[in-house]
PDB file of all heavy atoms in Angstrom:
ATOM      1  N   ASP A  38     140.114 133.794 134.595  1.00  0.00           N
ATOM      2  CA  ASP A  38     139.575 135.054 134.066  1.00  0.00           C
ATOM      3  C   ASP A  38     138.060 135.131 134.265  1.00  0.00           C
ATOM      4  O   ASP A  38     137.522 136.187 134.637  1.00  0.00           O
ATOM      5  CB  ASP A  38     139.907 135.186 132.579  1.00  0.00           C
ATOM      6  CG  ASP A  38     141.387 135.428 132.321  1.00  0.00           C
ATOM      7  OD1 ASP A  38     142.112 135.783 133.270  1.00  0.00           O
ATOM      8  OD2 ASP A  38     141.809 135.252 131.154  1.00  0.00           O
ATOM      9  N   GLU A  39     137.380 134.024 134.021  1.00  0.00           N
ATOM     10  CA  GLU A  39     135.924 134.013 134.108  1.00  0.00           C
ATOM     11  C   GLU A  39     135.438 134.236 135.542  1.00  0.00           C
ATOM     12  O   GLU A  39     134.528 135.033 135.784  1.00  0.00           O
ATOM     13  CB  GLU A  39     135.381 132.677 133.579  1.00  0.00           C
ATOM     14  CG  GLU A  39     135.512 132.500 132.087  1.00  0.00           C
ATOM     15  CD  GLU A  39     134.398 133.190 131.325  1.00  0.00           C
ATOM     16  OE1 GLU A  39     133.273 133.263 131.847  1.00  0.00           O
ATOM     17  OE2 GLU A  39     134.657 133.643 130.191  1.00  0.00           O
ATOM     18  N   VAL A  40     136.022 133.515 136.500  1.00  0.00           N
ATOM     19  CA  VAL A  40     135.537 133.647 137.882  1.00  0.00           C
ATOM     20  C   VAL A  40     135.935 134.993 138.470  1.00  0.00           C
ATOM     21  O   VAL A  40     135.178 135.580 139.275  1.00  0.00           O
ATOM     22  CB  VAL A  40     136.019 132.480 138.775  1.00  0.00           C
ATOM     23  CG1 VAL A  40     135.473 131.161 138.264  1.00  0.00           C
ATOM     24  CG2 VAL A  40     137.530 132.425 138.893  1.00  0.00           C
ATOM     25  N   ASN A  41     137.094 135.511 138.095  1.00  0.00           N
ATOM     26  CA  ASN A  41     137.467 136.848 138.562  1.00  0.00           C
ATOM     27  C   ASN A  41     136.482 137.892 138.058  1.00  0.00           C
ATOM     28  O   ASN A  41     136.058 138.791 138.809  1.00  0.00           O
ATOM     29  CB  ASN A  41     138.880 137.191 138.102  1.00  0.00           C
ATOM     30  CG  ASN A  41     139.953 136.614 139.002  1.00  0.00           C
ATOM     31  OD1 ASN A  41     139.722 136.387 140.195  1.00  0.00           O
ATOM     32  ND2 ASN A  41     141.133 136.361 138.458  1.00  0.00           N
ATOM     33  N   ALA A  42     136.088 137.763 136.804  1.00  0.00           N
ATOM     34  CA  ALA A  42     135.140 138.721 136.237  1.00  0.00           C
ATOM     35  C   ALA A  42     133.766 138.594 136.890  1.00  0.00           C
ATOM     36  O   ALA A  42     133.113 139.598 137.196  1.00  0.00           O
ATOM     37  CB  ALA A  42     135.025 138.512 134.732  1.00  0.00           C
ATOM     38  N   GLU A  43     133.329 137.364 137.144  1.00  0.00           N
ATOM     39  CA  GLU A  43     132.004 137.152 137.720  1.00  0.00           C
ATOM     40  C   GLU A  43     131.928 137.600 139.165  1.00  0.00           C
ATOM     41  O   GLU A  43     130.914 138.160 139.602  1.00  0.00           O
ATOM     42  CB  GLU A  43     131.610 135.682 137.602  1.00  0.00           C
ATOM     43  CG  GLU A  43     130.209 135.379 138.125  1.00  0.00           C
ATOM     44  CD  GLU A  43     129.714 134.012 137.735  1.00  0.00           C
ATOM     45  OE1 GLU A  43     130.293 133.391 136.813  1.00  0.00           O
ATOM     46  OE2 GLU A  43     128.737 133.543 138.345  1.00  0.00           O
ATOM     47  N   LEU A  44     133.006 137.359 139.931  1.00  0.00           N
ATOM     48  CA  LEU A  44     132.982 137.658 141.363  1.00  0.00           C
ATOM     49  C   LEU A  44     133.670 138.973 141.718  1.00  0.00           C
ATOM     50  O   LEU A  44     133.695 139.365 142.894  1.00  0.00           O
ATOM     51  CB  LEU A  44     133.644 136.516 142.139  1.00  0.00           C
ATOM     52  CG  LEU A  44     132.944 135.152 142.028  1.00  0.00           C
ATOM     53  CD1 LEU A  44     133.758 134.084 142.754  1.00  0.00           C
ATOM     54  CD2 LEU A  44     131.525 135.216 142.580  1.00  0.00           C
ATOM     55  N   GLY A  45     134.234 139.664 140.742  1.00  0.00           N
ATOM     56  CA  GLY A  45     134.926 140.914 141.021  1.00  0.00           C
ATOM     57  C   GLY A  45     136.196 140.710 141.825  1.00  0.00           C
ATOM     58  O   GLY A  45     136.518 141.529 142.691  1.00  0.00           O
ATOM     59  N   LEU A  46     136.930 139.642 141.519  1.00  0.00           N
ATOM     60  CA  LEU A  46     138.146 139.312 142.262  1.00  0.00           C
ATOM     61  C   LEU A  46     139.368 139.443 141.356  1.00  0.00           C
ATOM     62  O   LEU A  46     139.257 139.737 140.165  1.00  0.00           O
ATOM     63  CB  LEU A  46     138.056 137.877 142.802  1.00  0.00           C
ATOM     64  CG  LEU A  46     136.901 137.552 143.748  1.00  0.00           C
ATOM     65  CD1 LEU A  46     136.884 136.058 144.065  1.00  0.00           C
ATOM     66  CD2 LEU A  46     137.029 138.367 145.034  1.00  0.00           C
ATOM     67  N   ASP A  47     140.527 139.191 141.944  1.00  0.00           N
ATOM     68  CA  ASP A  47     141.777 139.169 141.190  1.00  0.00           C
ATOM     69  C   ASP A  47     142.644 138.030 141.720  1.00  0.00           C
ATOM     70  O   ASP A  47     143.831 138.203 141.973  1.00  0.00           O
ATOM     71  CB  ASP A  47     142.500 140.517 141.329  1.00  0.00           C
ATOM     72  CG  ASP A  47     143.689 140.616 140.375  1.00  0.00           C
ATOM     73  OD1 ASP A  47     143.667 139.940 139.325  1.00  0.00           O
ATOM     74  OD2 ASP A  47     144.638 141.355 140.687  1.00  0.00           O
ATOM     75  N   VAL A  48     142.022 136.854 141.897  1.00  0.00           N
ATOM     76  CA  VAL A  48     142.772 135.710 142.417  1.00  0.00           C
ATOM     77  C   VAL A  48     143.679 135.148 141.334  1.00  0.00           C
ATOM     78  O   VAL A  48     143.457 135.347 140.130  1.00  0.00           O
ATOM     79  CB  VAL A  48     141.823 134.606 142.944  1.00  0.00           C
ATOM     80  CG1 VAL A  48     140.958 135.127 144.075  1.00  0.00           C
ATOM     81  CG2 VAL A  48     140.970 134.048 141.824  1.00  0.00           C
ATOM     82  N   GLU A  49     144.693 134.431 141.761  1.00  0.00           N
ATOM     83  CA  GLU A  49     145.627 133.787 140.836  1.00  0.00           C
ATOM     84  C   GLU A  49     145.358 132.284 140.814  1.00  0.00           C
ATOM     85  O   GLU A  49     144.886 131.707 141.789  1.00  0.00           O
ATOM     86  CB  GLU A  49     147.071 134.033 141.263  1.00  0.00           C
ATOM     87  CG  GLU A  49     147.481 135.492 141.214  1.00  0.00           C
ATOM     88  CD  GLU A  49     148.930 135.690 141.638  1.00  0.00           C
ATOM     89  OE1 GLU A  49     149.690 134.683 141.641  1.00  0.00           O
ATOM     90  OE2 GLU A  49     149.292 136.823 141.972  1.00  0.00           O
ATOM     91  N   GLY A  50     145.664 131.670 139.683  1.00  0.00           N
ATOM     92  CA  GLY A  50     145.553 130.226 139.545  1.00  0.00           C
ATOM     93  C   GLY A  50     146.823 129.651 138.967  1.00  0.00           C
ATOM     94  O   GLY A  50     147.553 130.347 138.246  1.00  0.00           O
ATOM     95  N   GLU A  51     147.096 128.401 139.276  1.00  0.00           N
ATOM     96  CA  GLU A  51     148.285 127.743 138.746  1.00  0.00           C
ATOM     97  C   GLU A  51     148.036 126.249 138.630  1.00  0.00           C
ATOM     98  O   GLU A  51     147.147 125.693 139.295  1.00  0.00           O
ATOM     99  CB  GLU A  51     149.501 128.007 139.640  1.00  0.00           C
ATOM    100  CG  GLU A  51     149.333 127.525 141.072  1.00  0.00           C
ATOM    101  CD  GLU A  51     150.520 127.916 141.939  1.00  0.00           C
ATOM    102  OE1 GLU A  51     151.532 127.192 141.894  1.00  0.00           O
ATOM    103  OE2 GLU A  51     150.420 128.940 142.658  1.00  0.00           O
ATOM    104  N   LEU A  52     148.812 125.587 137.790  1.00  0.00           N
ATOM    105  CA  LEU A  52     148.665 124.159 137.549  1.00  0.00           C
ATOM    106  C   LEU A  52     149.604 123.366 138.449  1.00  0.00           C
ATOM    107  O   LEU A  52     150.809 123.671 138.532  1.00  0.00           O
ATOM    108  CB  LEU A  52     148.969 123.845 136.080  1.00  0.00           C
ATOM    109  CG  LEU A  52     148.823 122.383 135.650  1.00  0.00           C
ATOM    110  CD1 LEU A  52     147.370 121.918 135.781  1.00  0.00           C
ATOM    111  CD2 LEU A  52     149.310 122.207 134.212  1.00  0.00           C
ATOM    112  N   VAL A  53     149.056 122.355 139.128  1.00  0.00           N
ATOM    113  CA  VAL A  53     149.840 121.445 139.951  1.00  0.00           C
ATOM    114  C   VAL A  53     149.398 120.019 139.614  1.00  0.00           C
ATOM    115  O   VAL A  53     148.445 119.804 138.866  1.00  0.00           O
ATOM    116  CB  VAL A  53     149.672 121.731 141.462  1.00  0.00           C
ATOM    117  CG1 VAL A  53     150.172 123.116 141.808  1.00  0.00           C
ATOM    118  CG2 VAL A  53     148.227 121.554 141.895  1.00  0.00           C
ATOM    119  N   PHE A  54     150.080 119.034 140.225  1.00  0.00           N
ATOM    120  CA  PHE A  54     149.887 117.651 139.808  1.00  0.00           C
ATOM    121  C   PHE A  54     149.703 116.730 141.012  1.00  0.00           C
ATOM    122  O   PHE A  54     150.078 117.058 142.132  1.00  0.00           O
ATOM    123  CB  PHE A  54     151.083 117.191 138.974  1.00  0.00           C
ATOM    124  CG  PHE A  54     151.319 118.060 137.760  1.00  0.00           C
ATOM    125  CD1 PHE A  54     152.159 119.162 137.841  1.00  0.00           C
ATOM    126  CD2 PHE A  54     150.669 117.803 136.572  1.00  0.00           C
ATOM    127  CE1 PHE A  54     152.362 119.983 136.743  1.00  0.00           C
ATOM    128  CE2 PHE A  54     150.858 118.624 135.471  1.00  0.00           C
ATOM    129  CZ  PHE A  54     151.708 119.714 135.555  1.00  0.00           C
ATOM    130  N   CYS A  55     149.100 115.565 140.736  1.00  0.00           N
ATOM    131  CA  CYS A  55     148.901 114.561 141.782  1.00  0.00           C
ATOM    132  C   CYS A  55     149.164 113.177 141.210  1.00  0.00           C
ATOM    133  O   CYS A  55     149.359 113.013 140.004  1.00  0.00           O
ATOM    134  CB  CYS A  55     147.476 114.646 142.351  1.00  0.00           C
ATOM    135  SG  CYS A  55     146.186 114.097 141.214  1.00  0.00           S
ATOM    136  N   SER A  56     149.178 112.189 142.096  1.00  0.00           N
ATOM    137  CA  SER A  56     149.197 110.769 141.703  1.00  0.00           C
ATOM    138  C   SER A  56     150.453 110.346 140.951  1.00  0.00           C
ATOM    139  O   SER A  56     150.414 109.481 140.079  1.00  0.00           O
ATOM    140  CB  SER A  56     147.967 110.433 140.853  1.00  0.00           C
ATOM    141  OG  SER A  56     146.788 110.837 141.484  1.00  0.00           O
ATOM    142  N   ARG A  57     151.595 110.942 141.299  1.00  0.00           N
ATOM    143  CA  ARG A  57     152.835 110.516 140.667  1.00  0.00           C
ATOM    144  C   ARG A  57     153.117 109.064 141.006  1.00  0.00           C
ATOM    145  O   ARG A  57     152.912 108.610 142.123  1.00  0.00           O
ATOM    146  CB  ARG A  57     154.002 111.367 141.161  1.00  0.00           C
ATOM    147  CG  ARG A  57     155.291 111.093 140.401  1.00  0.00           C
ATOM    148  CD  ARG A  57     156.528 111.325 141.242  1.00  0.00           C
ATOM    149  NE  ARG A  57     157.752 111.272 140.467  1.00  0.00           N
ATOM    150  CZ  ARG A  57     158.336 110.148 140.058  1.00  0.00           C
ATOM    151  NH1 ARG A  57     157.795 108.976 140.336  1.00  0.00           N
ATOM    152  NH2 ARG A  57     159.456 110.185 139.346  1.00  0.00           N
ATOM    153  N   SER A  58     153.581 108.302 140.021  1.00  0.00           N
ATOM    154  CA  SER A  58     153.998 106.916 140.261  1.00  0.00           C
ATOM    155  C   SER A  58     155.224 106.660 139.401  1.00  0.00           C
ATOM    156  O   SER A  58     155.831 107.594 138.885  1.00  0.00           O
ATOM    157  CB  SER A  58     152.866 105.937 139.934  1.00  0.00           C
ATOM    158  OG  SER A  58     152.467 106.048 138.587  1.00  0.00           O
ATOM    159  N   GLY A  59     155.610 105.397 139.252  1.00  0.00           N
ATOM    160  CA  GLY A  59     156.770 105.115 138.420  1.00  0.00           C
ATOM    161  C   GLY A  59     158.069 105.110 139.208  1.00  0.00           C
ATOM    162  O   GLY A  59     158.103 105.322 140.418  1.00  0.00           O
ATOM    163  N   ARG A  60     159.159 104.870 138.505  1.00  0.00           N
ATOM    164  CA  ARG A  60     160.475 104.765 139.137  1.00  0.00           C
ATOM    165  C   ARG A  60     160.881 106.103 139.755  1.00  0.00           C
ATOM    166  O   ARG A  60     160.639 107.166 139.154  1.00  0.00           O
ATOM    167  CB  ARG A  60     161.525 104.326 138.113  1.00  0.00           C
ATOM    168  CG  ARG A  60     161.238 102.973 137.471  1.00  0.00           C
ATOM    169  CD  ARG A  60     162.398 102.544 136.563  1.00  0.00           C
ATOM    170  NE  ARG A  60     162.692 103.549 135.549  1.00  0.00           N
ATOM    171  CZ  ARG A  60     162.054 103.643 134.384  1.00  0.00           C
ATOM    172  NH1 ARG A  60     161.063 102.832 134.096  1.00  0.00           N
ATOM    173  NH2 ARG A  60     162.406 104.568 133.503  1.00  0.00           N
ATOM    174  N   PRO A  61     161.529 106.084 140.921  1.00  0.00           N
ATOM    175  CA  PRO A  61     161.898 107.333 141.593  1.00  0.00           C
ATOM    176  C   PRO A  61     162.764 108.258 140.740  1.00  0.00           C
ATOM    177  O   PRO A  61     162.645 109.472 140.824  1.00  0.00           O
ATOM    178  CB  PRO A  61     162.660 106.854 142.837  1.00  0.00           C
ATOM    179  CG  PRO A  61     162.125 105.480 143.095  1.00  0.00           C
ATOM    180  CD  PRO A  61     161.856 104.889 141.743  1.00  0.00           C
ATOM    181  N   GLY A  62     163.640 107.683 139.907  1.00  0.00           N
ATOM    182  CA  GLY A  62     164.539 108.513 139.119  1.00  0.00           C
ATOM    183  C   GLY A  62     163.941 109.039 137.829  1.00  0.00           C
ATOM    184  O   GLY A  62     164.571 109.838 137.135  1.00  0.00           O
ATOM    185  N   GLN A  63     162.731 108.617 137.490  1.00  0.00           N
ATOM    186  CA  GLN A  63     162.108 109.049 136.244  1.00  0.00           C
ATOM    187  C   GLN A  63     161.446 110.408 136.430  1.00  0.00           C
ATOM    188  O   GLN A  63     160.642 110.579 137.346  1.00  0.00           O
ATOM    189  CB  GLN A  63     161.069 108.016 135.800  1.00  0.00           C
ATOM    190  CG  GLN A  63     160.414 108.339 134.459  1.00  0.00           C
ATOM    191  CD  GLN A  63     159.347 107.324 134.088  1.00  0.00           C
ATOM    192  OE1 GLN A  63     158.652 106.787 134.943  1.00  0.00           O
ATOM    193  NE2 GLN A  63     159.226 107.045 132.797  1.00  0.00           N
ATOM    194  N   PRO A  64     161.760 111.378 135.595  1.00  0.00           N
ATOM    195  CA  PRO A  64     161.145 112.707 135.751  1.00  0.00           C
ATOM    196  C   PRO A  64     159.645 112.677 135.440  1.00  0.00           C
ATOM    197  O   PRO A  64     159.229 112.168 134.393  1.00  0.00           O
ATOM    198  CB  PRO A  64     161.898 113.574 134.734  1.00  0.00           C
ATOM    199  CG  PRO A  64     163.130 112.804 134.382  1.00  0.00           C
ATOM    200  CD  PRO A  64     162.762 111.365 134.511  1.00  0.00           C
ATOM    201  N   TRP A  65     158.849 113.234 136.344  1.00  0.00           N
ATOM    202  CA  TRP A  65     157.410 113.378 136.154  1.00  0.00           C
ATOM    203  C   TRP A  65     157.073 114.856 136.316  1.00  0.00           C
ATOM    204  O   TRP A  65     157.843 115.638 136.869  1.00  0.00           O
ATOM    205  CB  TRP A  65     156.641 112.550 137.181  1.00  0.00           C
ATOM    206  CG  TRP A  65     156.559 111.081 136.843  1.00  0.00           C
ATOM    207  CD1 TRP A  65     157.600 110.226 136.622  1.00  0.00           C
ATOM    208  CD2 TRP A  65     155.375 110.291 136.690  1.00  0.00           C
ATOM    209  NE1 TRP A  65     157.153 108.963 136.342  1.00  0.00           N
ATOM    210  CE2 TRP A  65     155.785 108.966 136.385  1.00  0.00           C
ATOM    211  CE3 TRP A  65     154.018 110.563 136.796  1.00  0.00           C
ATOM    212  CZ2 TRP A  65     154.864 107.935 136.167  1.00  0.00           C
ATOM    213  CZ3 TRP A  65     153.101 109.537 136.588  1.00  0.00           C
ATOM    214  CH2 TRP A  65     153.527 108.236 136.262  1.00  0.00           C
ATOM    215  N   LEU A  66     155.896 115.228 135.837  1.00  0.00           N
ATOM    216  CA  LEU A  66     155.474 116.622 135.916  1.00  0.00           C
ATOM    217  C   LEU A  66     155.318 117.060 137.367  1.00  0.00           C
ATOM    218  O   LEU A  66     154.774 116.337 138.196  1.00  0.00           O
ATOM    219  CB  LEU A  66     154.160 116.817 135.165  1.00  0.00           C
ATOM    220  CG  LEU A  66     154.227 116.595 133.648  1.00  0.00           C
ATOM    221  CD1 LEU A  66     152.835 116.697 133.038  1.00  0.00           C
ATOM    222  CD2 LEU A  66     155.170 117.588 132.982  1.00  0.00           C
ATOM    223  N   GLU A  67     155.772 118.258 137.666  1.00  0.00           N
ATOM    224  CA  GLU A  67     155.717 118.852 139.005  1.00  0.00           C
ATOM    225  C   GLU A  67     155.255 120.300 138.875  1.00  0.00           C
ATOM    226  O   GLU A  67     155.238 120.854 137.773  1.00  0.00           O
ATOM    227  CB  GLU A  67     157.121 118.804 139.648  1.00  0.00           C
ATOM    228  CG  GLU A  67     157.636 117.404 139.878  1.00  0.00           C
ATOM    229  CD  GLU A  67     159.046 117.394 140.455  1.00  0.00           C
ATOM    230  OE1 GLU A  67     159.783 118.389 140.236  1.00  0.00           O
ATOM    231  OE2 GLU A  67     159.417 116.411 141.106  1.00  0.00           O
ATOM    232  N   PRO A  68     154.843 120.950 139.992  1.00  0.00           N
ATOM    233  CA  PRO A  68     154.965 120.516 141.385  1.00  0.00           C
ATOM    234  C   PRO A  68     153.791 119.647 141.838  1.00  0.00           C
ATOM    235  O   PRO A  68     152.684 119.759 141.304  1.00  0.00           O
ATOM    236  CB  PRO A  68     154.955 121.848 142.153  1.00  0.00           C
ATOM    237  CG  PRO A  68     154.070 122.719 141.314  1.00  0.00           C
ATOM    238  CD  PRO A  68     154.383 122.347 139.888  1.00  0.00           C
ATOM    239  N   ASP A  69     154.061 118.817 142.825  1.00  0.00           N
ATOM    240  CA  ASP A  69     153.018 118.029 143.455  1.00  0.00           C
ATOM    241  C   ASP A  69     152.114 118.952 144.269  1.00  0.00           C
ATOM    242  O   ASP A  69     152.576 119.929 144.870  1.00  0.00           O
ATOM    243  CB  ASP A  69     153.647 116.978 144.362  1.00  0.00           C
ATOM    244  CG  ASP A  69     152.609 116.167 145.106  1.00  0.00           C
ATOM    245  OD1 ASP A  69     152.014 115.265 144.493  1.00  0.00           O
ATOM    246  OD2 ASP A  69     152.367 116.465 146.295  1.00  0.00           O
ATOM    247  N   VAL A  70     150.828 118.651 144.292  1.00  0.00           N
ATOM    248  CA  VAL A  70     149.869 119.508 144.981  1.00  0.00           C
ATOM    249  C   VAL A  70     150.210 119.680 146.459  1.00  0.00           C
ATOM    250  O   VAL A  70     150.081 120.774 147.021  1.00  0.00           O
ATOM    251  CB  VAL A  70     148.430 118.977 144.804  1.00  0.00           C
ATOM    252  CG1 VAL A  70     148.273 117.556 145.340  1.00  0.00           C
ATOM    253  CG2 VAL A  70     147.415 119.910 145.429  1.00  0.00           C
TER     254      VAL A  70
END
């Protein structure tokens, strides 16, 4: 909201994740970047 207001834009943002580790079958937060 802040950068859109400052720059006069309407870009979208979303949360993604990195550095997944642990057992392959264990659920981790996604999506990966």
